[in-house]
Amino acid sequence: MHLSDIHFGQEKDGGTDAANADAKMRLIEDARVQVGKLGCTANGVIVTGDIAFSGQEHQYAMAAQWLAQLTDAIGCDRTDVQMIPGNHDIDRKKITNTIDSVLFSIREGGDHWLDRHLDNPGDCAALYGRFDAYKGFALDYRCELDLNGGISKSARLDLAPGRAIRFVRLNSALICSGHPEEGKLILGARQRMLPIDVGVENIVLSHHPLNWFQDSDKARGYLRGRARVFISGHEHFPNLDIEDVEDGCQVMMLAAGATAPDEVNEKFTYKYNILTFEWDEQQDALAVTVDPRTWNPDMARFEHDDAFMDGRQERQVLASPNFHDAPIPASNTPESEVTAELVEEPSEVRPTEDALPAAQDDTSATAPPIAGAEPLAGTATEPEPEPTQDVRDLQLRFFQTLSEGERLQTLVKFGVVAQRHGGIDHAMERRLFRRAIRQGKAAEIRQMLDATENGKGGSSK
């Protein structure tokens, strides 16, 4: 499933709210039917930015409820969502005059000026502070935002033995400010350096199309040499192009229409795509099937977008050099050796609990160490183990059901953190949650969430 520009929180009046809500529910039902016709369940959802309308936490709470219904309908785990931020995922209230001036200087100074600010911890924190609500939301879907101008953690999907695709997540909105910006944005060298591996074809996700970047020529070179598909949103109007790079190498450029455009009219309406990625054994290539879905106002439902396809075949087999450079999979390889699920690729080493700063309480400058922590097997630089899917689902509920204050009270109650004066950042809060899980608190957390959701009239999974 591919969505873009959902814009939760954009509704200006009750009528628009009702129309958008209805279309989003029809989308879920249409997706359920169309995926069912394929005789399988979906592996996940791609959202190419603008999940919220103005980067506010309550807008992400609405998005979370809707995404839960969508993922349930198409049969994938609720956390199997690949997302990237768009310009509407920025909290524009945090664009002060100073920040606006910094963004202007970066756009004028280009790559060098961007790197200069990214290399300064204070400047870097200020740039990413505009994404605070998005950062916490994305963490629950394993889409952690890189906070130093680089590519965010990627996810991989095996198609056959020795043949996989990698979803590469870019933050194209890093220097967005709200001013006219076409041709002025910068991806930067840290995001242009796409990974390349034999047997793996890259699917690059960017909210903005290439024409919005002043370093688009440099970015295009890396895309042509290292990517097989480039998926974008932002312009609210769909487009599909297959570029012949050289003999044995092609790139698909897929621009999405808006799932919920600012205005619904003759040009812009509700749209989404169903994408199928598979290995074409005969040509040893990546095959991408695009089923574009569009709103038919005459029937008030989603239908196949014949106008968008314009007579083209839905299934496109792309010349894939990274597949050709790998050994050909044995024809008798058991299908059980292929993991048909999204797998997060290893990221840089993260601090474990021993590296957590001491919490501060209301009465002293320094709180006692976090109570009840079990000893760790390794050092403070040992990567945190990957949680099970059950833990991921429970974490998603925990952070989307409870307010920040309620979560902190719960962590204090379970003894994984001392009473703290003020808040704690998203990443630390999630590590503390997982500490509670390792201390055997999962059942208590689940019971508490059930009671809270029932009290709010919600539903649990």
Side-chain angles (χ1 to χ4, degrees):
M1 286 282 304
H2 173 215
L3 313 164
S4 192
D5 300 82
I6 318 175
H7 296 145
F8 277 96
Q10 73 171 338
E11 291 75 20
K12 304 174 181 67
D13 54 62
T16 305
D17 187 15
N20 286 352
D22 176 75
K24 287 171 183 172
M25 294 311 297
R26 293 309 97 212
L27 185 154
I28 290 174
E29 290 307 312
D30 185 68
R32 185 200 308 273
V33 171
Q34 298 307 316
V35 171
K37 289 179 180 179
L38 297 175
C40 62
T41 57
N43 288 109
V45 175
I46 297 170
V47 188
T48 46
D50 281 4
I51 299 165
F53 185 66
S54 56
Q56 304 299 307
E57 286 196 10
H58 72 276
Q59 295 168 357
Y60 293 111
M62 291 190 290
Q65 293 178 359
W66 185 77
L67 285 171
Q69 295 177 67
L70 175 62
T71 50
D72 288 352
I74 62 177
C76 65
D77 289 321
R78 289 185 174 184
T79 55
D80 283 340
V81 180
Q82 298 292 302
M83 65 178 67
I84 54 174
N87 51 297
H88 281 282
D89 291 305
I90 292 171
D91 184 349
R92 296 191 182 180
K93 295 177 183 177
K94 295 187 177 181
I95 303 179
T96 63
N97 289 336
T98 300
I99 294 296
D100 201 24
S101 297
V102 169
L103 295 172
F104 176 81
S105 71
I106 293 174
R107 288 193 295 272
E108 292 298 305
D111 261 7
H112 170 71
W113 209 251
L114 174 61
D115 278 327
R116 178 176 174 177
H117 285 284
L118 291 174
D119 288 338
N120 182 294
D123 292 353
C124 198
L127 287 174
Y128 283 97
R130 301 169 299 143
F131 295 93
D132 270 351
Y134 172 84
K135 285 188 294 186
F137 179 73
L139 271 174
D140 291 329
Y141 293 93
R142 298 175 290 164
C143 294
E144 184 174 356
L145 192 62
D146 182 274
L147 302 180
N148 196 234
I151 294 172
S152 297
K153 187 177 178 182
S154 302
R156 172 180 170 136
L157 182 67
D158 289 338
L159 304 179
R163 299 293 183 273
I165 55 176
R166 173 193 290 117
F167 293 99
V168 180
R169 299 189 287 258
L170 305 181
N171 179 2
S172 67
L174 180 57
I175 64 166
C176 284
S177 64
H179 300 294
E181 293 167 327
E182 185 171 0
K184 298 181 180 180
L185 300 181
I186 305 173
L187 269 179
R190 306 175 199 210
Q191 290 197 98
R192 293 196 301 265
M193 307 296 170
L194 301 176
I196 183 167
D197 292 291
V198 172
V200 181
E201 295 291 0
N202 288 327
I203 314 298
V204 179
L205 310 180
S206 169
H207 179 63
H208 294 86
L210 284 181
N211 56 290
W212 284 76
F213 303 107
Q214 56 180 274
D215 57 343
S216 60
D217 288 342
K218 295 177 181 178
R220 191 181 300 276
Y222 285 94
L223 284 171
R224 286 162 58 91
R226 302 186 183 185
R228 206 56 48 227
V229 184
F230 180 79
I231 304 179
S232 61
H234 186 64
E235 293 185 336
H236 297 188
F237 197 77
N239 188 58
L240 175 64
D241 184 52
I242 309 295
E243 181 179 348
D244 296 316
V245 177
E246 60 183 8
D247 186 36
C249 181
Q250 293 177 307
V251 176
M252 171 183 284
M253 308 294 287
L254 175 62
T259 299
D262 300 332
E263 240 181 279
V264 176
N265 51 39
E266 292 184 359
K267 182 177 181 180
F268 300 107
T269 191
Y270 309 106
K271 293 180 182 289
Y272 79 101
N273 298 318
I274 298 175
L275 305 178
T276 303
F277 299 97
E278 57 185 327
W279 175 54
D280 186 284
E281 184 175 4
Q282 184 176 1
Q283 300 186 48
D284 191 17
L286 175 64
V288 184
T289 301
V290 182
D291 178 6
R293 312 296 297 174
T294 190
W295 185 257
N296 179 354
D298 294 331
M299 298 298 292
R301 68 188 184 197
F302 282 93
E303 296 179 352
H304 182 75
D305 194 344
D306 293 318
F308 171 71
M309 293 309 296
D310 193 27
R312 291 173 294 197
Q313 294 293 319
E314 289 185 18
R315 188 176 188 268
Q316 298 285 334
V317 180
L318 307 174
S320 307
N322 289 337
F323 282 0
H324 291 167
D325 291 343
I328 297 176
S331 58
N332 60 350
T333 302
E335 291 186 6
S336 59
E337 291 188 11
V338 179
T339 304
E341 61 180 19
L342 284 169
V343 177
E344 292 299 308
E345 295 193 314
S347 60
E348 295 181 1
V349 172
R350 301 177 188 174
T352 57
E353 293 169 1
D354 284 351
L356 291 173
Q360 293 184 352
D361 60 27
D362 294 328
T363 59
S364 64
T366 304
I370 296 173
E374 74 278 17
L376 295 176
T379 67
T381 58
E382 183 181 348
E384 182 178 314
E386 283 296 317
T388 65
Q389 187 59 50
D390 284 344
V391 170
R392 290 183 181 128
D393 289 340
L394 191 60
Q395 176 178 307
L396 195 67
R397 289 179 61 196
F398 182 79
F399 283 93
Q400 293 178 355
T401 301
L402 304 180
S403 67
E404 182 179 0
E406 290 170 331
R407 296 194 302 267
L408 183 55
Q409 288 177 8
T410 301
L411 295 173
V412 170
K413 173 185 173 183
F414 289 153
V416 296
V417 66
Q419 181 65 41
R420 189 175 180 89
H421 198 56
I424 55 179
D425 67 36
H426 302 296
M428 188 194 305
E429 196 175 2
R430 280 151 181 80
R431 292 199 297 274
L432 292 170
F433 168 83
R434 291 180 184 176
R435 169 180 285 187
I437 296 297
R438 288 196 293 276
Q439 292 182 1
K441 306 296 184 181
E444 291 180 61
I445 293 174
R446 189 171 285 108
Q447 291 174 0
M448 177 192 63
L449 293 176
D450 288 343
T452 302
E453 288 169 339
N454 290 335
K456 295 179 178 178
S459 61
S460 61
K461 180 182 177 182

